[in-house]
Amino acid sequence: MKMTVEIDCTPTEARAFLGLPDVSELNERLVKEMQSRLEQNMAMASPDELVKAWTTFGAGAQEQFRKLMTAAAEGAMGAGARPK
């Protein structure tokens, strides 16, 4: 035998019926804290700041990558041009 029971209630009513705690105040405080942190970090996410951070790191990394590619190309050319 199979029974289906459909209950029409709001989430707040369901939580109260099941004895679950009301966390709406905690949720509101958490959302406010997240909003304030997002607003504080928005300056760091600006394109100007991102480019500054990337280029500071990128200048040395670009040079190292160029040297690596140059060495790899020279090695490949040397290996392909074997004397006969």
Side-chain angles (χ1 to χ4, degrees), residues 13 19 25 33 35 41 51 57 59 61 65 71 74 82-83:
E13 293 170 340
E25 184 180 329
E33 178 65 25
Q35 286 175 337
N41 291 325
V51 169
F57 171 75
F65 184 73
E74 288 173 352
R82 291 185 183 145

Side-chain angles (χ1 to χ4, degrees), residues 4 34 37 42 45 59 64 80 82:
T4 302
M34 290 174 61
R37 288 185 184 196
M42 286 304 277
Q64 290 294 332
R82 291 185 183 145

